[in-house]
Amino acid sequence: MAIRVLHVATGNVGRIALAQLIEDPRFELAGLVVSDPAKVGRDAGELAGLDAVTGVAATDDLEAALAARPDCTVYCAIGETRLPDALADIGRILAAGSDVVASSPVPLIYPWGLLPDRMIRPIEDACRAGGTSVFVTGVDPGWANDLLPFAIASTCRRVEQVRCSEIADYATYDGGPVLFDFMGFGRPVGDLPKILRPGMLAASWGVSLRMLARGFGFELDEITEWFEQEPAPEAFDVAAGHIPAGGMAALRFQVGGVVGGREVLVIEHTTRLRGDLRPDWPQPAQDGGSYRVEIVGEPSYRVDVCPTSADGDHNHAAIASGAGRVVNAIPDVIAAPPGLRTPLDLPFTTARGVFAQALAG
């Protein structure tokens, strides 16, 4: 019997996830919620970019959509710029008896140690009230720094450091709110967006570092951060908009998990809006972008993952991989006990303990 799924939002991630829900026989689309008035009333197949009529019309009324009592809800609304609203949405869905898999808000990937208890407790209370569970994931933070390092490290006799990297050209990425508002591209170098202010990188990617440490069987002493910015040598345009001369056009940052004075877990991003900028920074393994996991240990590894897609370039492929991870988690999340679920709760890792020798030395 197909799993009845409500879908929320049809942006870059949501549109791809919606297409899978429509085409995958494991699922039955039970409703679609959108925020754009221009999308209300339109068929889900059209909004997913498919040549299909589903008979499911988009609504902007979440409560009405939940009245259909879906087994699970796929939540793909932006959460980073509207955290309280996104948490409230998810709490409402969970309390109504629908499990949730989501691409945001990122802090729910592993909220402990980041969000205050007053923000976590309502989600846990909603899970208890509805007998439901919630799982938030994506690419990075997401499978590129949880599934990959755990799987690779599970082959090691010992591990001294794990480094996860995204190296990508975002020129074709059309997500203006993420690119300009969240990451600060186009701003004068030194005019820092919220994500680059002290402590924010550690908060945003600390969810993955804390979860990795927990999965490997230890706790972090501290989380460090640093970043570099590169200005545009002249003005140019990208898919999301205009980059003025002197505006940030490339960004590199690192977030490190420290134990005993040593960075044992590292997440690094190198993001360019033009391929010729800062050639001295890390380069992707394929044109446009790739993900990389490097393990220092026995054996040591450098694993490059190069997403591609028949429907678009490397940026589309990366987004599609995050959407696929969200949708494919539905059966396991439904089967999981009620509560906030993380990758550590889903059956995929045998890596616990591989750091033991390095940490003891």
Side-chain angles (χ1 to χ4, degrees), residues 144-146 148-150 152-154 156 158-165 209 212 216 218 255-257 263-268 292-297 301 351 354-355:
N145 39 48
D146 57 51
L148 284 184
F150 281 136
I152 298 165
S154 69
C156 294
R158 59 177 173 81
V159 172
E160 297 171 13
Q161 186 187 70
V162 173
R163 178 181 295 268
C164 304
S165 303
L209 292 175
L212 280 172
F216 285 123
F218 59 89
V255 186
E263 286 186 334
V264 295
L265 301 173
V266 179
I267 293 175
E268 182 175 0
R292 180 172 295 158
V293 175
E294 297 171 278
I295 293 180
V296 178
Y301 288 94
V354 296
F355 270 85

Side-chain angles (χ1 to χ4, degrees), residues 15-217:
R15 185 171 60 252
I16 297 172
L18 177 60
Q20 182 176 352
L21 290 174
I22 293 170
E23 295 182 330
D24 193 320
R26 293 177 295 172
F27 309 114
E28 174 190 342
L29 186 64
L32 172 61
V33 177
V34 296
S35 59
D36 184 350
K39 295 180 180 180
V40 173
R42 293 166 63 182
D43 188 84
E46 176 193 358
L47 293 176
L50 300 176
D51 185 18
V53 176
T54 66
V56 176
T59 178
D60 58 2
D61 190 337
L62 177 60
E63 296 295 339
L66 287 171
R69 302 195 62 78
D71 301 312
C72 189
T73 297
V74 174
Y75 187 86
C76 294
I78 291 176
E80 282 57 55
T81 58
R82 48 183 292 278
L83 179 60
D85 291 338
L87 291 174
D89 286 346
I90 288 175
R92 192 174 304 121
I93 296 166
L94 292 166
S98 175
D99 294 293
V100 175
V101 293
S103 60
S104 72
V106 166
L108 288 187
I109 288 177
Y110 195 84
W112 304 280
L114 173 61
L115 293 182
D117 187 59
R118 62 179 173 79
M119 299 180 78
I120 299 174
R121 190 186 310 113
I123 298 295
E124 294 175 328
D125 290 344
C127 289
R128 283 190 287 271
T132 49
S133 56
V134 54
F135 175 65
V136 179
T137 188
V139 186
D140 187 338
W143 63 261
N145 39 48
D146 57 51
L147 285 180
L148 284 184
F150 281 136
I152 298 165
S154 69
T155 71
C156 294
R157 186 170 80 233
R158 59 177 173 81
V159 172
E160 297 171 13
Q161 186 187 70
V162 173
R163 178 181 295 268
C164 304
S165 303
E166 178 187 273
I167 311 165
D169 186 330
Y170 274 25
T172 62
Y173 176 61
D174 62 359
V178 172
L179 203 66
F180 297 126
D181 301 336
F182 186 63
M183 300 183 75
F185 281 97
R187 294 191 186 198
V189 169
D191 178 11
L192 302 181
K194 184 177 180 180
I195 189 62
L196 294 182
R197 293 172 188 166
M200 291 305 299
L201 287 172
S204 298
W205 275 266
V207 294
S208 289
L209 292 175
R210 291 186 184 90
M211 190 272 296
L212 280 172
R214 174 77 180 276
F216 285 123

